[in-house]
Amino acid sequence: MADIQLLQSLQTGNYVAAAAGTVVIYDQVLAFSQELDFIWNRNWSLMTVLYLIAHHSGSVCTIGNAIWCTFTNDWTYSANLNMYLAVSWAQTIFLQAMRAILVIRVYALLNRSKKAAAFLATFYCLQATAAFAMAVLLTTPQVLHESLVSIDPAVGTVVAHIDTRFPAITAESLPLNITTVTVVFDTVLLFFALLAFGRHSLGAKRWDGGWSINMLVKTLVADHLMYFLCYLVWMSLTLVIDYNTEALTMTLVNRLYNISRALAVVAGPRMVISIREIENTTMRGGTMGGELSTIRFDIPELVTQSESAIEEGGGI
């Protein structure tokens, strides 16, 4: 009876994964015209490259996982292994691309502070190195064997091709849980974004007596907060999966995990489009604004252009 319940739960989880992939595809269709206007029809920059990396790696991560969950029982072990590798690495690349985007946004919100840039760049490189090292570790034969056994239903052709020579490696045996480190880094980025928002709010109130905040600042912080909430749920469920050994509980968590990951994949790249859309409609009388990293958010002139910053590049 327990086995039947487990298989039913796994099947429902696969449906949820397929639904998450469908949500990402649907969002891409809706945003296609905006992507043409604000990504492809603009001059290339660092932010354009980061957007494309995040956009496509996120798609591979969620849509690939949906395909994998739907057809895994009909594939050989080798095919399952390759798909697992593709989804795993796509997820790591997506997260690092999004962190780079957030670093640039926070750098702009902090008025291009050199001290903030040095701190954020150093912290980013450290956590990125740790995250990629973790990704390499989690794609070793030992961990791959355990993952393919525990995540997928142990039925069909998968069992016949599983190599049981490799011992299982669990999250507890890792020297450091890198997920915690990366969550701390993303929390620090959010803290700086909220701090900058508070500074701009107080500055605006001192200048005109009201709480009117520049639309670009509000959008930068609001989008950041929305993405962070989706990301935080996703990472919290990742930790639950890493440290939970009950099959039924794990499959229930996986459903929420796939949904939160899809929402983060949707919300992340859209941050770039939303900012460029605001630049296009509100800055310079409706003309295209400059790169985000060349904009200084000052009081009373909340958005001004610095000639020396034009050479920096890497904007939104």
Side-chain angles (χ1 to χ4, degrees), residues 29-224:
V29 172
L30 290 180
F32 182 70
S33 61
Q34 292 176 306
E35 184 175 331
L36 286 178
D37 292 336
F38 302 117
I39 301 297
W40 295 106
N41 290 337
R42 287 193 57 168
N43 294 332
W44 281 67
S45 67
L46 174 59
M47 189 62 74
T48 300
V49 175
L50 290 173
Y51 167 86
L52 293 174
I53 293 174
H55 177 71
H56 293 296
S57 60
S59 298
V60 171
C61 178
T62 51
I63 299 173
N65 184 65
I67 296 172
W68 182 33
C69 290
T70 303
F71 300 105
T72 183
N73 291 334
D74 299 323
W75 290 355
T76 64
Y77 177 72
S78 177
N80 276 277
L81 175 63
N82 291 331
M83 182 59 79
Y84 179 86
L85 288 171
V87 170
S88 177
W89 276 103
Q91 176 173 301
T92 300
I93 293 170
F94 168 79
L95 288 171
Q96 293 308 313
M98 284 307 309
R99 289 186 183 110
I101 290 173
L102 293 175
V103 165
I104 294 175
R105 292 162 69 96
V106 170
Y107 167 67
L109 283 170
L110 295 176
N111 286 331
R112 297 181 284 108
S113 166
K114 293 182 179 180
K115 291 182 179 180
F119 171 76
L120 293 174
T122 301
F123 202 166
Y124 175 83
C125 291
L126 290 175
Q127 67 80 33
T129 300
F132 280 112
M134 181 75 164
V136 171
L137 180 61
L138 291 178
T139 53
T140 59
Q142 295 92 332
V143 178
L144 287 174
H145 165 69
E146 173 65 13
S147 298
L148 290 175
V149 170
S150 61
I151 294 177
D152 291 326
V155 295
T157 59
V158 178
V159 164
H161 292 84
I162 282 181
D163 190 342
T164 57
R165 293 175 300 172
F166 301 117
I169 292 182
T170 61
E172 289 86 346
S173 65
L174 298 176
L176 176 66
N177 195 314
I178 307 302
T179 302
T180 304
V181 176
T182 54
V183 169
V184 169
F185 177 69
D186 288 298
T187 304
V188 170
L189 288 178
L190 179 65
F191 170 77
F192 279 127
L194 294 176
L195 179 65
F197 182 78
R199 289 174 55 191
H200 292 304
S201 300
L202 292 175
K205 182 172 177 56
R206 286 197 300 267
W207 176 250
D208 60 10
W211 294 99
S212 58
I213 312 301
N214 177 267
M215 180 60 69
L216 191 57
V217 173
K218 288 193 290 187
T219 303
L220 281 167
V221 178
D223 287 353
H224 191 147

